[in-house]
Amino acid sequence: MMRSLYSGVSGLQNHQTRMDVIGNNISNVNTTGFKRGRVNFQDMISQQLSGAAKPTEELGGVNPKDVGLGMTIASIDNVFTQGNLQSTGVSTDIAIQGNGFFILKNGDESFYTRNGAFGLDCDGTLVNPANGLRVQGWMAKEIDGEMIVTTSATPTDLKIPVGAKDPAKETNNVNFACNLNKNTPEITNENDAKMVEKGTWRTEQVIYDSFGNKHMLEVSFRRVVGNPNQWQASVQIDPDNADYTQTRVGLGTTDGMENTFFVNFDNYGALQSVTDSAGNLSNLEGQIVIQTSFAVPESNPDENGNPYRQTLSINLGTIGSFENTITQSASTSSTKAYYQDGYTLGYLDNFKIDSSGIITGVYSNGTNRVIGQIALATFANDCGLEKAGDNTYVETNNSGMARIGQSGIAGKGSLKSGCLEMSNVDLSEQMTDMIVTQRGFQSNAKTIQTADTLLETVLSLKR
């Protein structure tokens, strides 16, 4: 009789705990990145009235007789199923699609979360604005003009230098991919302005010097009289200011060169070779690159007292190819250079985060530069993580060590910028569990009440 009383008490206590977990789930139904809890029950130790007996020659075996002494909580699990993604349009809001946790730091202490509602502090550090914990990742390093992210390094704070300068860069390479009309008339009279205009195809491309000043690169093409597959090209930087630019072109060097070169095509209209003004012949296979130099206005002279000259490479394309190459075909001449790598001074206006967690800065001069990459952590046993408040978890002995890396690698999910992962609490499921829990609680209360009635009957035997 007393056993049923304590069994009922254990049922009341543990159903109350289950109700507490359900209440916490429902209260966090709109908490970003929240993962619902689940309570599992198991029976407690049983009192054995008699043990089992094996069969004999005269009698069969006898089963044991056990009386259960109530129930207890087997586990309270965190269920890490995927929550729905909600678009917010905020660039610093990030959701994880798949496995993984963001890594947050408070000094040397690490926390892990699925809540990607991040923002920037006054120093440009990417943080959780609710508690100031710093988001971890890898900052990019500039190596030979290229921004490289080393994801094998130890993660550190991510800083986005809003308003930082991107210094001007002089143009080093210009790529051409135009077509020269085979039917362009030859210029036989330099004094006939109309003939000169009809027989010349001019291309223009904006380039930049080391100060970030714009210059106009003009390359004019005209057919060579008497040679049906050869064109003469004239290069001029800032044609309206020819007195101080002193443009020169050549193969390998521009020293002592003029500003013209000759382009040769084969009988199919493909690029064949180039000859500079000194008679140097280009390579006969691969890409043809011709050097161009000009005097930079208002610059300091070199060590010999001569005007400082900027040199850039004009890539005419690949010999024998028709892809991104100068060609000669009986169709309308097409424009011009399609790529140059210089730019003026710019400021970081904005940034974007892609599905790999790479943060790319967008500058006012039109350039994009990699700033860093967000790190993710996974665990062998997610359910072994311990809740640390503020929607975060910490590592435990049973979670395993954090496996840190970039998204999309080794089972880590992808990132969605401008989105947040919502709670995975299903209200209909929680309401149903609440009904079941309530009935379980009531049934255990009825067990205690009935046992009390039995005790009262025993007490009333002696009046």
Side-chain angles (χ1 to χ4, degrees), residues 328-347:
Q328 177 191 243
S329 178
S331 60
T332 304
S333 295
S334 61
T335 58
K336 61 179 180 178
Y338 68 92
Y339 167 80
Q340 69 86 29
D341 57 1
Y343 46 81
T344 188
L345 175 71
Y347 294 87

Side-chain angles (χ1 to χ4, degrees), residues 378-385 398-403:
T378 53
F379 297 88
N381 175 27
D382 292 345
C383 293
L385 293 171
N398 198 41
S399 66
M401 294 181 63
R403 302 170 181 175

Side-chain angles (χ1 to χ4, degrees), residues 8-61:
V9 169
S10 67
L12 287 177
Q13 291 173 336
N14 294 314
H15 277 82
Q16 179 61 56
T17 300
R18 183 177 183 180
M19 188 64 211
D20 293 338
V21 173
I22 293 172
N24 182 62
N25 290 341
I26 294 175
S27 68
N28 285 283
V29 67
N30 291 316
T31 300
T32 303
F34 178 80
K35 299 302 177 184
R36 65 183 175 88
R38 180 185 65 184
V39 177
N40 294 319
F41 292 147
Q42 66 182 15
D43 65 335
M44 276 203 318
I45 190 170
S46 297
Q47 181 180 357
Q48 191 173 77
L49 300 182
S50 63
K54 66 179 183 180
T56 63
E57 293 182 359
E58 293 83 11
L59 296 172

Side-chain angles (χ1 to χ4, degrees), residues 230-385:
Q230 187 179 62
W231 293 66
Q232 179 182 344
S234 300
V235 183
Q236 186 66 57
I237 306 295
D238 292 336
D240 297 335
N241 299 288
D243 291 340
Y244 65 72
T245 54
Q246 305 171 21
T247 307
R248 303 170 186 169
V249 297
L251 290 167
T253 180
T254 63
D255 293 342
M257 296 291 182
E258 299 176 0
N259 69 329
T260 60
F261 63 94
F262 297 90
V263 184
N264 304 304
F265 296 95
D266 62 19
N267 289 330
Y268 298 97
L271 180 64
Q272 187 177 54
S273 64
V274 165
T275 307
D276 64 17
S277 59
N280 299 313
L281 183 65
S282 67
N283 46 293
L284 299 180
E285 60 180 14
Q287 292 186 333
I288 295 180
V289 177
I290 191 161
Q291 302 297 317
T292 300
S293 68
F294 67 100
V296 178
E298 300 183 7
S299 60
N300 296 329
D302 61 18
E303 61 273 8
N304 298 320
N306 299 318
Y308 168 70
R309 300 187 66 82
Q310 176 176 327
T311 302
L312 57 94
S313 299
I314 297 179
N315 188 342
L316 300 179
T318 304
I319 294 173
S321 173
F322 290 88
E323 289 290 331
N324 296 327
T325 304
I326 288 183
T327 58
Q328 177 191 243
S329 178
S331 60
T332 304
S333 295
S334 61
T335 58
K336 61 179 180 178
Y338 68 92
Y339 167 80
Q340 69 86 29
D341 57 1
Y343 46 81
T344 188
L345 175 71
Y347 294 87
L348 181 62
D349 280 344
N350 198 1
F351 63 91
K352 54 188 177 182
I353 303 172
D354 66 12
S355 60
S356 298
I358 295 176
I359 306 171
T360 303
V362 181
Y363 291 82
S364 59
N365 57 3
T367 62
N368 294 332
R369 187 181 293 270
V370 175
I371 297 174
Q373 186 171 3
I374 296 173
L376 291 183
T378 53
F379 297 88
N381 175 27
D382 292 345
C383 293
L385 293 171

